[in-house]
Each structure stands twice: as C-alpha cells, then as structure tokens.
Amino acid sequence: MIKIENLVKRYGELLALDHLNLEIHEGEVFGLLGPNGSGKTTAINCILALLKYDKGSIKVFGQEMTPDSYEAKRQIGIVPQNVAVFNEMNVQENIDYFCGLYIRDNEQRKQLVQEAISFVGLEDYKKMRPKQLSGGLLRRLNIACGIAHKPRLIFMDEPTVAVDPQSRNKILEGIQKLNENGSTIIYTSHYMEEVEQICTRIAIIDHGRSVAIGTKEELKKMIKTGETVTIENVIFQPENLAEIKELPHVFNLKYEEATITIQYSGGKHNLIRVLNYLQQQEISFGRVFSELPTLNDVFLEITGKELRD
Amino acid sequence: MTVFKGYMKITKRNIGFILMYVAIFLGVSIAMQASASKNEGSSYAAEKLDIAVVDEDGGMLAKGLENYLKQYHEVSYMENDEGIMQEAIYYENVDLIIRIPVDFEENCLEKGEELKVTKVPGTYNSIYAQQQINTFLNEVKTYMAAGYSMEDGLEKIAAQKPSEVNLIDLNGNSGQMPGYAYMFRYAPYMFLAALCYVLGLILTAFQEKDVKSRMLVSATPQRRQVGEAILSFLVLGVTLFIIDIGITFALNGREFLEAPNLIYYLANTFVLMLVCLALAFLLGMFITRASLVNTIVTPLSLGMSFLCGVFVPLSMLGKGVKKFAQFLPVYWYEVNNDLLSEYQSVEGSVRNTMLKGYGVQLLFAAAFIGIALAVSKYRKQVRN
C-alpha cells in the first residue's frame, strides 16, 4: 500500500531522513516508533505530500504521491497529534466539514457523519462545541473528523495523548475496529504498551533511518535480552555476584540497594536456577519478579535511549 | 462548497460582533448628523433676535422704530411689568427688551437720552440690535435736519431694503454637507473593524497548523479551497457594503437616492470595502492566535480612523498628521468623500482627484494582497 525507497530529506544542514526504506501492506496496523526528532513526522509529512523531499520515492496505492494526487488523497484520512477542529462549529458540524472535503453528496455525507459520531461514541455531544468537551471527548472528535469519509489508509499521530484510561481504551478499540473494517492504519505513539497491543507490525526509526522492522515477536528476538529476573531485599557478597554471573544464559546483572536485576539472553528455567542458588547459599530474599522483554526493552536496546528523549 | 460553507458558519457564529460594529457606526453617524444640524440652527438664531418692546410712548417715532426692527428681528410686545420682564429674560424667552419711554421723541431725539435696553446676561448678540437702534435714530435725525417731516423721514427709512447677500454656490451644495455624507464619513470604521475582526478570526482558525494540514491532504484541490475562501470574503464584504448603503438609504431616503454623485459615493465605498478585505487577509496571515485578533484590530481600526479623518474631519487635522495619513488607504477614501460632500458635480480636476483616490486605494489593496501572498510563500519555503 505504501512503498518508501531511499527517502532523503534535509532541512538545511540537518539530515532528517537518511535513505529511509519502508513498506506498509494493506490491512496492517503499522506502528511507527522513534524518539523525538527521529524523523517520524517528517516521514509522514513526505508520504502525505505536505513536504517536498530531496531524494527517493514514495508510492501510495501504487502511484507516486504528489500534492495533486487527489484520487489517492480521497482514500486517506489523518488524525493529527493536536486536536485540529474549529471551535466555532459544534461536533456534528466539524465532522461534516472535514467529511465534506472528501464527500460531495449531501445524503451520503449525512449518513457517514452519523456513522462516525456513533463510531466514536459522541451521540450525546453532537450539538456541543469543542470547548465544552473533555480531553478524551475532544480526541474522539479529532478521530471522527479524520475517519468519517471511511478512508482506506489512516495516519494516526499519537491519538491518545493526554487521554483518561477509559477514553484511551475506547480509542484503541475503535482503531482495531477500523482495521477489522478494512482500513490500513499507520500509528505513532509514545505509549509502548499501546503499540504492543494494537500494531501488527512495527518500525523503529532513529536518525532518519529505519533501524528495526517486524512484528513485536520478531523485534523482541532481535535483542539480546530474553528474560529479566529481579530479586528484592537480598544481601550478596562479591563472590555471590560472580557466581550468579556464571549461571547459564546470564549476560548482565545489576546490584543496587539490595536489589539485583539479572538479564538472560534466553534459555529456560532461569528463575528456578537462581532461586536454587539462593537456597543452597542460605541467602534470604524478598519479592521475586520474572519479566519477558517488552517493546520498551527493544526500543532501549536498539536506539540506546528512552522513547521520550 | 464545503470551504465556503465553513467560512460562512464561522461568520455566523461571529454575527454579534458584526452587528456591534454596525450599531456603533449607526450610533456615531446619527449622533454626528444630529449634532451638525443643531449647530447650523443655532447660528441662524444668532442673526435674528427675539426682541420684546415695552411701548410707553405709543407715538409715531416709537411705531417707526418698532417697524424698523421688525425688518430684521422677531418683535413682540410686553406689558410694563418688572416681574414679567424679569421672567422673560430669566427664562431666555426673549434676547432683548427695549423700553420706549413716554415723550420718546423729545427725550431721545432732542435731549439725546439712550433707550433702556435689558438683555440676557452674558450675551453679546444684543449689541447688533443696539447698533441698529442707533442707526435708526441717527437716520431720523438726519432726515429731520434736512427738512423732512417726521412722517416723511420714517417713510424714507422704511423704504430702505435690508442689504442682500448673494451666496455664490460654486459646488451645488449651498455650502451645506448633505446628511448622508456623514454616514459615508464614518463607514471606514465599520468596514475596518467588522471585516478585520471577523475575517481575522476565520483566518486564524483556518491557518491553524493541523487544520491546514488536514485541508491540504484532503481530496479538495487547494485551488478550489482558495477560490471558495475568496468567494466567502467577497460575500461578507458585499453584505456589509449593502448593509451600509441600506442604512444610509433608510436614514436619508430620497435625498440619498437622488444625490447627483451617488454613483461616486458607491464606487468609493466599494473600493474601500475591497481595501478592508485585503487588509483583513494580510492580518490573517500574521495573527496566529484568536485571542490576538481583538488586540490588533481594535487599535488598528481606531488608529486609522482617527488619523485619516473618519472621526475628526481632515480639515481639522494637522499638516504632519495628514502627511502621515497619506500612507494609509482610508485617507484617500476620506479625501474622496470630502470632495463628494463638497461638490455636487464631479467634473474636471475634481473628477481627476476622485479617480486618483480610487487608484491609490486599489494600489493599497493590491499591496496588502501581495505582501500576504509573499509571506505565505516564504512560510511554505521555510516549511519545506
């Protein structure tokens, strides 16, 4: 559905996109991750023909994307990060306005607007102005304005920022429903758990390049960390730490303030092995956790930074 | 016509502000028109005084004086009652009371005694009447010294016609500013404030970065969007123009419709409306937040109105102010407006000045649009 090849974009001296390659298939919920300034927004703006690029090619629906690709644009919807609606219009009028930029037929548009209102659950707020809505409801309105015309391809840029958990769940359910209804979704977010929950494939972008791409399972396999065991309230002597480091699959450990964090590269029964060791050495301990790698671990290991850097 | 309808919806939401500026315009125009006509009335009253005569003599000379004064003033008769006289003066029912004493001819003509005159304290217009009384008595004395009888002398004086003043009406307005001219004088404030405010708000909403992105990636071509935006600008401007002309017609009726230079007034106002639309477009390019619209538009509209002769006539502005005002479009509108209120017939050099005024205003409009487009293009380049 989208094919980006060797995309280069410069802002003066700054290289925003450095030979970016991406392929997004129909029916995917494609997560685009990257620290701030990594080039995500620039890439999206280039795909949407909002920005000119220096080199490379972008094909959407098999056609080169230009500012005049109105046939392609007709099938695209965007949900920007900031709520982009008119304060002077009520909920229904806003959705009708943005839908009207795609659908001329009044009857058809009327029906689509009602469907969008129902889809985001704003039936009781139709006549309200944006300023009268809560943050969560505003986000839902923002989404409704981007999807009312039933686009095949939807760009969603952090649609759940500053939203209460209830609205967030509603929004995420909605995105999955849109996908089930046939829309391909490109989703950017800083919330790893959201991306893990809804995205079928994920690309991590850093320094304007795609540094990792695949399903969440594939991405997790790309990193060294297989399992992380944490033990609290435990007192170790230096020789204990050396012995634990020699256990199978351990590649890193951190001992601070009576808490040890052991990282394993893979393998099975890691937790049992370390607990056996503690029993043999008659070392008492508090709570014990075992965690499989998260997308955050993947992100941290690949980019070397926190997502909010 | 989605974009057009969007503009209209936002305009509708701000209709209160448009009505407010129309009401201010209406109030100021009516008040100034009324004030101007009141001033004209009082200046005529100063020339014709209300004089009360207490005639204790009743003789031929007394009657002659009364008839003489009647040629110039409103003369009434009063009883010789101190109370009535004081009341008349206190309430300013009369400007002057002249008491003609018994034996008027003997006392005033022969003994040279002066007539008793009571006037409203603090007024000076009675001096004019006192001079006329002295003139009358001197003329009677002159005729009698020349051998005329009292009767013949009075007849001769009565036959003298008051001097006629001929007003040479070069411009056809009888030196008066027509009532509707006031409406046109104050119109720029309404156009500037209403159009810049409402269009400023609309453009701020449409220029918001994410809204703009949404519109740019939509299936409606940008050219169409711009076309619909221009159409909505014109609809708003023309509506305000019609409101302005409608109010002027409603308040001035046939006098306005039959004005010989009506077409020039309409053209001048239409050009002004275009200038205000262009200025609103330029402001909309620079104002990024709705809260700033009022902060910028209020001083701009008031400032331009004060500097360019909207609230204070151009004739009363200093040279320096007028020189500065030449760099503002409303000045040229007011120059044209003053010419139209002064001359009923627009010909020759008046016509040339008018056309120059239209041209300069249109150049301002073109410059505003040019700057706005250049800013837009520059921003687009920076973004890319």
Side-chain angles (χ1 to χ4, degrees):
Chain A
M1 184 168 259
I2 297 178
K3 194 171 184 181
I4 300 173
E5 285 180 316
N6 287 318
L7 191 65
V8 175
K9 169 71 190 170
R10 285 175 190 279
Y11 292 110
E13 291 297 301
L14 180 79
L15 186 61
L17 295 177
D18 182 10
H19 297 88
L20 178 73
N21 289 291
L22 273 182
E23 198 163 342
I24 298 162
H25 309 294
E26 185 137 29
E28 284 185 324
V29 180
F30 191 84
L32 213 50
L33 293 181
N36 286 340
S38 59
K40 296 186 303 279
T41 308
T42 304
I44 290 176
N45 285 342
C46 287
I47 298 171
L48 293 170
L50 285 170
L51 275 180
K52 285 180 186 165
Y53 45 90
D54 301 297
K55 230 170 114 180
S57 81
I58 299 172
K59 283 188 177 166
V60 180
F61 307 123
Q63 302 289 318
E64 197 75 33
M65 190 67 179
T66 67
D68 296 331
S69 304
Y70 295 112
E71 260 322 299
K73 284 180 171 184
R74 199 175 292 285
Q75 302 173 69
I76 296 174
I78 66 160
V79 179
Q81 187 179 344
N82 298 315
V83 177
V85 294
F86 294 106
N87 287 324
E88 293 83 355
M89 296 184 198
N90 64 31
V91 166
Q92 188 168 325
E93 287 168 340
N94 264 299
I95 301 172
D96 183 67
Y97 177 81
F98 288 107
C99 187
L101 295 171
Y102 299 86
I103 309 289
R104 295 269 165 77
D105 183 75
N106 281 343
E107 282 309 308
Q108 191 192 354
R109 195 172 68 241
K110 225 175 184 175
Q111 198 187 331
L112 287 171
V113 169
Q114 291 314 317
E115 282 174 21
I117 288 172
S118 307
F119 186 80
V120 295
L122 285 175
E123 294 96 329
D124 297 335
Y125 307 94
K126 276 195 276 192
K127 298 289 170 197
M128 281 195 180
R129 300 266 185 94
K131 279 188 176 167
Q132 296 170 291
L133 301 178
S134 68
L137 294 175
L138 264 179
R139 289 274 156 196
R140 288 197 234 167
L141 170 61
N142 199 31
I143 292 172
C145 292
I147 59 148
H149 59 288
K150 293 219 158 90
R152 266 173 76 193
L153 175 63
I154 306 170
F155 289 82
M156 290 190 161
D157 191 3
E158 300 197 45
T160 57
V161 166
V163 160
D164 60 273
Q166 261 183 324
S167 285
R168 176 175 295 177
N169 285 337
K170 178 107 187 155
I171 290 169
L172 294 178
E173 279 170 25
I175 292 167
Q176 281 175 320
K177 212 167 155 192
L178 281 171
N179 183 239
E180 282 162 20
N181 291 345
S183 296
T184 303
I185 292 157
I186 296 173
Y187 189 85
T188 71
S189 175
H190 276 131
Y191 300 112
M192 291 294 185
E193 64 280 16
E194 279 182 12
V195 176
E196 244 186 301
Q197 187 185 332
I198 64 166
C199 293
T200 51
R201 233 157 44 98
I202 299 155
I204 295 175
I205 294 181
D206 200 16
H207 300 297
R209 279 183 300 160
S210 166
V211 289
I213 189 162
T215 62
K216 55 192 169 199
E217 291 79 17
E218 286 168 346
L219 288 179
K220 284 173 187 175
K221 279 181 192 160
M222 286 179 194
I223 61 167
K224 210 172 174 185
T225 309
E227 185 181 2
T228 304
V229 173
T230 307
I231 305 165
E232 291 177 351
N233 296 325
V234 60
I235 306 296
F236 284 127
Q237 298 304 316
E239 60 268 24
N240 297 130
L241 292 175
E243 282 165 3
I244 291 171
K245 208 165 185 182
E246 292 307 313
L247 290 173
H249 308 298
V250 174
F251 76 90
N252 190 24
L253 65 80
K254 197 168 77 180
Y255 180 58
E256 268 178 356
E257 294 171 1
T259 299
I260 186 165
T261 308
I262 311 160
Q263 285 181 293
Y264 294 88
S265 55
K268 286 179 179 176
H269 314 302
N270 295 322
L271 180 62
I272 293 169
R273 228 173 269 133
V274 75
L275 289 177
N276 283 341
Y277 173 79
L278 294 174
Q279 216 171 1
Q280 282 165 16
Q281 301 296 319
E282 293 180 344
I283 298 170
S284 63
F285 56 89
R287 293 190 301 173
V288 178
F289 307 95
S290 168
E291 292 167 306
L292 289 170
T294 62
L295 209 50
N296 201 40
D297 297 318
V298 175
F299 191 82
L300 266 169
E301 206 169 311
I302 289 175
T303 65
K305 21 188 147 165
E306 292 283 347
L307 190 56
R308 292 207 172 271
D309 269 1
Chain B
M1 297 291 274
T2 303
V3 179
F4 174 77
K5 283 180 190 165
Y7 271 77
M8 288 298 113
K9 260 183 196 150
I10 299 179
T11 305
K12 211 171 133 192
R13 298 284 188 262
N14 290 293
I15 198 90
F17 290 105
I18 298 177
L19 292 177
M20 182 185 81
Y21 288 119
V22 170
I24 292 173
F25 156 73
L26 200 59
V28 171
S29 305
I30 292 172
M32 295 310 286
Q33 205 173 328
S35 154
S37 60
K38 202 176 163 188
N39 286 340
E40 281 161 16
S42 64
S43 67
Y44 277 104
E47 290 168 21
K48 204 160 191 174
L49 301 176
D50 285 321
I51 296 175
V53 175
V54 179
D55 190 356
E56 293 173 354
D57 180 76
M60 190 187 287
L61 182 62
K63 291 288 168 210
L65 173 62
E66 287 158 27
N67 289 335
Y68 178 77
L69 287 174
K70 277 177 188 170
Q71 288 183 345
Y72 302 98
H73 306 288
E74 295 294 335
V75 175
S76 59
Y77 295 94
M78 195 173 269
E79 283 177 51
N80 186 10
D81 182 319
E82 281 295 327
I84 292 172
M85 283 193 276
Q86 273 180 5
E87 197 173 307
I89 288 291
Y90 180 78
Y91 289 110
E92 296 185 17
N93 292 334
V94 293
D95 298 300
L96 195 71
I97 299 174
I98 301 168
R99 290 174 72 174
I100 303 176
V102 182
D103 299 329
F104 175 46
E105 189 180 334
E106 190 186 332
N107 289 335
C108 289
L109 277 187
E110 291 165 19
K111 293 182 183 171
E113 272 183 30
E114 283 197 356
L115 275 176
K116 272 192 181 174
V117 171
T118 312
K119 58 177 184 169
V120 175
T123 58
Y124 300 96
N125 47 13
S126 57
I127 294 168
Y128 173 49
Q130 279 173 305
Q131 278 177 342
Q132 284 171 329
I133 293 168
N134 290 337
T135 306
F136 170 79
L137 293 174
N138 285 336
E139 282 187 14
V140 173
K141 274 184 201 170
T142 309
Y143 277 116
M144 289 183 74
Y148 284 87
S149 66
M150 170 75 74
E151 196 178 353
D152 290 342
L154 289 175
E155 257 178 42
K156 288 271 180 199
I157 293 167
Q160 290 171 5
K161 293 275 179 201
S163 310
E164 274 186 20
V165 176
N166 290 319
L167 174 74
I168 301 168
D169 188 7
L170 284 174
N171 55 26
N173 280 342
S174 311
Q176 300 287 317
M177 188 166 157
Y180 51 80
Y182 289 95
M183 312 292 289
F184 285 104
R185 175 184 283 173
Y186 301 115
Y189 174 69
M190 178 182 72
F191 280 107
L192 277 173
L195 290 179
C196 290
Y197 187 80
V198 175
L199 290 176
L201 281 178
I202 295 174
L203 283 169
T204 311
F206 276 84
Q207 291 292 318
E208 201 275 317
K209 195 178 143 235
D210 287 312
V211 169
K212 208 173 170 183
S213 296
R214 253 193 173 146
M215 293 183 62
L216 283 174
V217 300
S218 76
T220 304
Q222 214 188 337
R223 247 181 234 158
R224 191 187 170 97
Q225 291 183 25
V226 172
E228 288 183 28
I230 291 171
L231 180 66
S232 61
F233 266 52
L234 286 173
V235 167
L236 184 59
V238 169
T239 306
L240 206 60
F241 173 77
I242 292 169
I243 290 173
D244 176 45
I245 302 303
I247 289 173
T248 311
F249 170 65
L251 293 176
N252 296 278
R254 287 179 71 92
E255 185 200 1
F256 170 62
L257 278 189
E258 287 166 2
N261 44 20
L262 175 66
I263 194 77
Y264 289 97
Y265 269 116
L266 296 182
N268 200 31
T269 311
F270 193 81
V271 170
L272 171 80
M273 181 272 288
L274 293 178
V275 173
C276 292
L277 284 180
L279 183 60
F281 179 55
L282 177 64
L283 288 177
M285 283 287 144
F286 284 101
I287 302 174
T288 48
R289 276 182 292 149
S291 57
L292 285 176
V293 174
N294 194 31
T295 316
I296 291 171
V297 170
T298 303
L300 181 96
S301 53
L302 283 175
M304 216 187 277
S305 297
F306 274 111
L307 287 172
C308 299
V310 177
F311 295 140
V312 181
L314 283 175
S315 56
M316 290 172 76
L317 293 176
K319 266 187 185 174
V321 177
K322 274 199 256 189
K323 245 184 188 165
F324 176 73
Q326 286 179 7
F327 296 99
L328 300 168
V330 176
Y331 170 83
W332 298 96
Y333 167 85
E334 288 297 346
V335 166
N336 274 2
N337 204 42
D338 282 359
L339 279 177
L340 289 171
S341 62
E342 204 174 327
Y343 294 93
Q344 292 266 307
S345 159
V346 179
E347 282 165 359
S349 65
V350 176
R351 191 167 178 271
N352 290 341
T353 313
M354 289 282 309
L355 292 177
K356 182 184 159 194
Y358 293 151
V360 175
Q361 287 184 76
L362 287 172
L363 279 177
F364 270 107
F368 291 151
I369 292 170
I371 295 169
L373 292 177
V375 169
S376 167
K377 200 174 175 184
Y378 171 74
R379 282 186 185 157
K380 207 172 171 183
Q381 278 172 350
V382 168
R383 203 174 57 225
N384 277 316

